[in-house]
Amino acid sequence: MHAPLFHFSRHREDIEREVVSRVAGGLSHHAGADPQRSYQLVLNDAAYHEIHRLERARGREAERLAGWQKLARRIGRMDAAELRDEVERLCWYYVRDVVGHFDPRVYRFATSVMPVGLSALFNTTDLAHGVGFSGRAGVLRDLSKRIGVEGEVDLVRSLARKGTLVLVPTHSSNLDSIVLGWSLMHAGLPPVTYGAGKNLFTNKLVGYFMRNLGAYRVDRRLRHVLYKEVLKCYSQVLLERGYHSLFFPGGTRSRSGRVEQKLKLGLLGSALAAFSERAQRGDDRPIYVVPVTINYPLVLEAETLIGDHLKEAGQARYIIDDDEFSRIARVTQYAVRVMALSTTMVIRYGQPLDVFGNAVGPDGTSRGPDGTVLDPRRYLLRDKQAVADPARDGEYTRQLGEAVGRAFLRETVVLPTQLLGWMLFERERRMAPHLDLFALLRTTSGDRHDLAELCADGERVLGRLRQLENDGRVRLEPTLRAGPVDEVFEAALSTYEMYHVRAACERAEEAVLVRDPKLLYYYGNRLEPWAPELRDVLA
Amino acid sequence: MSRWTIIDATPWGLALARRLAAGGHEVQLLMGSRSPGRLPKRVSRQPWTAAPQILDQVERVVLATRIAGLEARLEQLASCLQGDHRLLTVAPGLTPGHHFRASEAVLRLTAVKQLAVLAGAAEPTALRRKEPVALVVGSAYPTWATELQGVLASKTIRVYTSEDPIGVELSNVLSAVLAVGMGAARDLDLGPATVATELTRAVAEIDRLVVGLGGRANTAYGLAGLGALTTQLFAGQGDAIEAGTSLARGEIEAARAHGELVEAARTLSERAAAQRVRAPMVDAVNGLFEGRLGAAEALAALMSRAVRSERG
């Protein structure tokens, strides 16, 4: 496959130059027509935010404080040319910090080693669990048995040849980009470039692979306009040049376990901006937005994420750098145990959309709700001429965000752990309707739920979920789709026991014992969008 | 001057065709065979068969179809509507099929995104009589809203813009439903203080429902909510007032002849319950239509509710 990313290093400098030129040019109008005033504002904003941040920083970071303080004192005395030079210098600095790399040799190495490495881990687990060898085929079981890749994969593969892909997955774990990268390779899809938090590069080995497999660095601590413009422009230029990309539109990992519905429109907007820019240059290649759901039976960082969600100071920990992902032993333990699960992780590729949120047909054309073939360039016209209208485009992007949010719900694959989590937590709520969420979380550990009663309720909820799947409103994992409810719960219970320090719940003879209500709440939250309808059948 | 297509020769369609023509715009009126009466020079009448060619040339479209036939009309025209079309809808209410608001039906059934909705304290007849009136154009597309404001405004029509099309549409349909209650109360021969109480609580309820169902706070206090409600109240006539009067007299079948209001009351009552938004007045109107409550009984039930903060 000759994806554009394979030729990235050849164009890298050119891309950097274009980003610097466009950002510096664009910022000259940041505060109206006067470039001097605009640059002053941009530099003051950057200096203010950086000084504020660095005053609290330690080590080598803190050494940069003096430089920013000096710049802050000079801004008022700089003439227009000096201001522009300073803005350009900072743009160069930031773009070089951001820009990723792609080394085909590393890609070939990683793609050959990753499945073997993960399968080897699985093999070890087989031994530990006494599964044993069953002939040669059993020695290295296929990783694809543990990670299901489904949905519109064939269509996405064909669209990758016709235009540029923007994958927009749900985000639950720092492992997302790794498993998604594996799914692309497994499905014969091209590699993608994506922005990853700078904190993920701190591990030198992981950082080396990420950097050489197309990831670029996003420093979420930097809040000033200049940096944000560099990032936005870089991702847009990559798309304009045809690099398949990946954005997590939720912005950060879902803390609550819910499927994201509040999406970051800035990132989605760069797809429309790139399409518009291409159209103005007469470049007709389409851009396709592909919603993807990543569905884990167990989430590596579940304990930290739900803990953070429940803290009032959740926002303060927007960047978590001390979670399970930062502890290599925990990641290994997770990988080993997930590989041994009887239930699979599912990566589901949804119906591709154009940048205006319209569905895309099998031939790559945009389609209206009635199947009419649309020319997406017409959304940019006024009186038959392409016209720039940022307010219009902002609303288009908001509508695209809604379409992606709806796709996330439609393409969510409900797994046994999530169903059992929701059922148990719902029973707790019904048993103590006077308790608020926090009281429930504090007091329900140790509660026992009769398994027969749970199965009777589960049968009804499962029936409604199957109806919802028939209506195309959600997806079910095969056990939920066809299996008896006791098997579903059995699968959930054995999965829960596999990884977390304290299992969310466990079997106790003919009952289920609640062990960690927070985890039940976290996994059950995945079903919250459909909860009113599920509660109806329990009433 | 620009070119416009108006879909359907309803009272709103004709009123807007005249207004646009008076402003010097060229208007093509897509309609059936029924005579629309005398049309201004710049308005040309066109058959449905011409829709594909006309809509391929004209970007500005007024969808004047009544709410009852809106889904069918959109299904008929969906293949002619593309991304550069900008639509203005004028139909209040919810469609009988899927209970969509007019703009919601356009978004669900066609590829059009640039939408605006027209509502306010005026009926098409008031535009024709050239009485001083005000309308509101709700749109999330400021350029389109401003253009509409420019072409529809005149010496007797003030046109305001709102960035909350959902709120404008919901306020409009809720004002019609609650005007039924006002009509019922009117027939009970209550004093002005009671009517004023009902009016202010109705607007507070519209506001609450608009926010609960996806619109913005305070839109209800504008032309589409308070304006439309008082227009109906002062006019003392119209579908909603007539339905309310019938309900107060126990003539439920006569009231239920206003099927769009019956459906709107039921649907909005259900949506409010699903979103856990308090909607006692909409529920009461729904109860009256369903024959579960009498007018005096409904009023007594409303008065016996627990009191809260005025804006709560």
Side-chain angles (χ1 to χ4, degrees):
Chain A
M1 173 149 323
H2 295 287
L5 203 48
F6 284 88
H7 311 290
F8 178 79
S9 26
R10 210 184 303 155
H11 303 290
R12 179 182 167 154
E13 273 194 39
D14 195 26
I15 291 170
E16 289 174 352
R17 200 172 301 114
E18 183 171 354
V19 172
V20 171
S21 155
R22 278 164 67 163
V23 172
L27 289 176
S28 67
H29 309 301
H30 184 65
D34 180 0
Q36 184 160 1
R37 199 165 160 268
S38 295
Y39 286 139
Q40 277 176 347
L41 190 69
V42 165
L43 290 173
N44 272 319
D45 170 69
Y48 170 80
H49 281 95
E50 280 304 273
I51 290 168
H52 183 72
R53 181 176 74 84
L54 294 169
E55 277 173 347
R56 287 156 188 76
R58 289 179 188 171
R60 288 180 64 187
E61 277 266 290
E63 289 167 18
R64 302 188 55 228
L65 177 62
W68 278 104
Q69 286 170 328
K70 196 173 159 194
L71 174 64
R73 286 193 294 271
R74 282 173 46 226
I75 292 169
R77 298 195 300 271
M78 291 160 92
D79 62 25
E82 287 172 317
L83 287 164
R84 164 114 195 175
D85 285 350
E86 189 58 34
V87 166
E88 282 191 2
R89 186 187 69 77
L90 285 169
C91 284
W92 275 110
Y93 174 80
Y94 285 125
V95 82
R96 284 181 174 146
D97 189 57
V98 166
V99 166
H101 191 59
F102 187 85
D103 188 330
R105 290 166 302 178
V106 177
Y107 181 73
R108 277 192 289 275
F109 173 74
T111 52
S112 60
V113 161
M114 185 160 62
V116 174
L118 290 174
S119 297
L121 284 173
F122 174 63
N123 189 33
T124 318
T125 320
D126 261 1
L127 292 172
H129 284 255
V131 176
F133 297 97
S134 54
R136 277 189 185 177
V139 176
L140 289 177
R141 271 208 253 165
D142 190 348
L143 189 58
S144 63
K145 296 234 171 68
R146 292 292 159 268
I147 307 179
V149 182
E150 58 178 54
E152 301 284 354
V153 179
D154 293 340
L155 176 56
V156 175
R157 196 183 300 115
S158 106
L159 297 183
R161 290 191 283 269
K162 294 186 170 81
T164 307
L165 302 178
V166 181
L167 302 184
V168 287
T170 54
H171 198 8
S172 306
S173 166
N174 281 333
L175 293 175
D176 286 348
S177 50
I178 297 168
V179 294
L180 200 67
W182 176 85
S183 82
L184 291 170
M185 180 201 72
H186 175 73
L189 289 163
V192 295
T193 178
Y194 64 98
K198 202 170 179 175
N199 51 319
L200 302 183
F201 290 80
T202 44
N203 179 315
K204 281 189 178 165
L205 184 65
V206 174
Y208 172 80
F209 277 102
M210 287 179 70
R211 209 164 173 78
N212 284 290
L213 291 173
Y216 56 88
R217 296 198 292 186
V218 178
D219 193 338
R220 294 204 195 108
R221 298 166 308 172
L222 304 185
R223 299 295 179 97
H224 54 83
V225 169
L226 192 146
Y227 181 74
K228 287 181 184 170
E229 285 298 312
V230 166
L231 260 187
K232 197 171 129 195
C233 187
Y234 179 62
S235 62
Q236 186 181 322
V237 168
L238 289 177
L239 279 174
E240 284 172 29
R241 290 174 174 240
Y243 290 89
H244 304 301
S245 301
L246 180 153
F247 302 142
F248 287 109
T252 181
R253 291 169 292 173
S254 166
R255 300 299 197 258
S256 65
R258 289 184 192 193
V259 180
E260 304 93 315
Q261 289 294 286
K262 205 174 169 186
L263 306 181
K264 298 268 182 190
L265 299 178
L267 287 172
L268 283 175
S270 63
L272 171 54
F275 175 81
S276 175
E277 192 68 32
R278 273 189 187 183
Q280 281 174 37
R281 290 184 201 156
D283 179 347
D284 289 346
R285 283 175 303 163
I287 292 178
Y288 301 114
V289 178
V290 185
V292 182
T293 60
I294 306 177
N295 306 274
Y296 294 94
L298 293 172
V299 175
L300 170 70
E301 310 98 315
E303 285 123 322
T304 304
L305 293 171
I306 192 61
D308 200 53
H309 171 68
L310 294 169
K311 271 184 203 158
E312 274 193 1
Q315 281 300 312
R317 282 184 28 115
Y318 182 68
I319 310 156
I320 301 178
D321 54 12
D322 57 351
D323 61 18
E324 293 83 346
F325 188 77
S326 64
R327 299 196 287 276
I328 203 75
R330 193 71 194 272
V331 177
T332 311
Q333 182 192 34
Y334 174 84
V336 166
R337 294 185 176 177
V338 165
M339 287 301 113
L341 291 178
S342 55
T343 52
T344 48
M345 166 192 310
V346 184
I347 298 176
R348 188 171 173 86
Y349 286 78
Q351 161 78 54
L353 307 167
D354 68 13
V355 295
F356 302 98
N358 297 302
V360 171
D363 58 352
T365 55
S366 299
R367 302 298 176 96
D370 65 332
T372 301
V373 174
L374 306 173
D375 177 356
R377 290 170 303 180
R378 287 181 70 168
Y379 284 100
L380 305 172
L381 304 182
R382 186 174 306 138
D383 296 319
K384 309 293 177 198
Q385 299 290 317
V387 175
D389 182 344
R392 174 199 65 192
D393 294 353
E395 180 58 19
Y396 283 153
T397 301
R398 195 191 62 76
Q399 291 196 31
L400 170 65
E402 284 187 358
V404 170
R406 287 194 296 273
F408 277 174
L409 296 182
R410 228 173 24 242
E411 305 296 348
T412 289
V413 182
V414 180
L415 303 172
T417 43
Q418 295 157 355
L419 177 63
L420 183 60
W422 187 83
M423 296 278 319
L424 285 170
F425 205 77
E426 185 61 19
R427 282 173 68 85
E428 294 288 358
R429 275 189 218 266
R430 297 165 84 86
M431 282 159 49
H434 56 287
L435 294 183
D436 65 22
L437 172 66
F438 291 91
L440 276 174
L441 293 170
R442 256 197 333 269
T443 58
T444 50
S445 178
D447 283 2
R448 294 168 73 90
H449 294 265
D450 181 78
L451 193 55
E453 280 178 27
L454 199 59
C455 284
D457 282 353
E459 198 70 61
R460 293 205 294 274
V461 171
L462 209 46
R464 180 55 62 93
L465 279 172
R466 287 169 183 163
Q467 272 177 14
L468 289 170
E469 187 181 40
N470 285 337
D471 295 343
R473 293 177 53 200
V474 74
R475 302 276 171 176
L476 302 181
E477 185 256 11
T479 329
L480 277 88
R481 189 177 298 134
V485 72
D486 53 338
E487 270 183 30
V488 174
F489 288 163
E490 205 56 59
L493 285 163
S494 58
T495 303
Y496 273 139
E497 284 168 14
M498 290 300 289
Y499 162 67
H500 290 298
V501 175
R502 189 163 61 142
C505 57
E506 63 189 30
R507 178 81 177 260
E509 296 171 350
E510 291 310 305
V512 176
L513 191 64
V514 173
R515 302 292 293 172
D516 188 339
K518 277 196 287 194
L519 282 177
L520 289 180
Y521 174 66
Y522 172 82
Y523 286 108
N525 269 342
R526 196 78 170 174
L527 269 75
E528 262 318 293
W530 303 275
E533 288 162 89
L534 302 181
R535 286 188 186 113
D536 276 352
V537 298
L538 292 175
Chain B
M1 295 305 106
S2 48
R3 297 174 71 193
W4 293 73
T5 300
I6 293 188
I7 297 171
D8 277 304
T10 55
W12 269 115
L14 291 169
L16 294 176
R18 291 190 179 98
R19 173 69 213 112
L20 289 166
H25 302 283
E26 186 191 325
V27 179
Q28 314 213 47
L29 180 60
L30 277 169
M31 57 174 294
S33 54
R34 192 175 55 85
S35 167
R38 207 165 68 84
L39 293 172
K41 261 188 196 165
R42 289 178 198 275
V43 181
S44 70
R45 184 181 158 175
Q46 300 289 345
W48 292 115
T49 49
Q53 293 88 338
I54 289 172
L55 289 169
D56 193 47
Q57 294 301 315
V58 180
E59 293 173 357
R60 297 164 179 83
V61 180
V62 176
L63 182 62
T65 315
R66 285 196 173 88
I67 197 78
L70 194 73
E71 284 191 31
R73 183 68 77 227
L74 288 171
E75 279 163 12
Q76 174 198 345
L77 297 175
S79 61
C80 312
L81 293 168
Q82 289 273 344
D84 49 342
H85 284 116
R86 299 189 288 290
L87 246 72
L88 173 69
T89 68
V90 297
L94 302 174
T95 62
H98 294 92
H99 303 132
F100 292 146
R101 290 173 283 104
S103 69
E104 195 179 8
V106 175
L107 286 174
R108 298 286 192 106
L109 301 174
T110 77
V112 173
K113 309 260 180 231
Q114 296 186 70
L115 272 168
V117 301
L118 184 71
E123 293 297 317
T125 45
L127 265 61
R128 187 144 198 205
R129 285 198 300 266
K130 302 204 169 163
E131 293 169 6
V133 291
L135 296 166
V136 57
V137 169
S139 179
Y141 293 89
T143 315
W144 178 221
T146 308
E147 181 177 357
L148 287 163
Q149 184 179 38
V151 297
L152 296 180
S154 72
K155 284 180 184 169
T156 56
I157 308 173
R158 287 186 70 76
V159 179
Y160 294 87
T161 58
S162 161
E163 291 173 1
D164 181 20
I166 296 176
V168 166
E169 271 185 328
L170 283 171
S171 295
N172 217 22
V173 61
L174 281 160
S175 69
V177 169
L178 294 185
V180 174
M182 308 284 287
R186 200 165 155 268
D187 204 65
L188 294 178
D189 208 18
L190 302 166
T194 313
V195 176
T197 303
E198 203 181 358
L199 180 64
T200 46
R201 296 319 301 157
V203 180
E205 183 164 323
I206 296 175
D207 188 46
R208 212 162 47 232
L209 276 161
V210 164
V211 173
L213 299 178
R216 296 186 190 174
N218 295 330
T219 302
Y221 294 91
L223 288 161
L226 180 60
L229 193 55
T230 44
T231 303
Q232 293 170 84
L233 188 64
F234 291 141
Q237 57 184 25
D239 286 359
I241 299 291
E242 279 170 24
T245 308
S246 300
L247 289 170
R249 293 173 186 169
E251 298 161 359
I252 293 175
E253 285 313 307
R256 289 183 66 84
H258 300 279
E260 288 167 16
L261 290 168
V262 177
E263 281 291 295
R266 187 179 59 76
T267 307
L268 291 166
S269 175
E270 285 171 5
R271 286 189 190 165
Q275 296 299 319
R276 300 185 179 182
V277 181
R278 282 178 296 110
M281 297 178 87
V282 171
D283 294 341
V285 171
N286 187 37
L288 288 169
F289 274 133
E290 289 181 349
R292 286 188 282 108
L293 290 172
E297 206 182 343
L299 187 62
L302 287 170
M303 292 304 291
S304 64
R305 288 170 47 79
V307 276
R308 298 166 184 264
S309 152
E310 187 175 23
R311 299 297 292 271

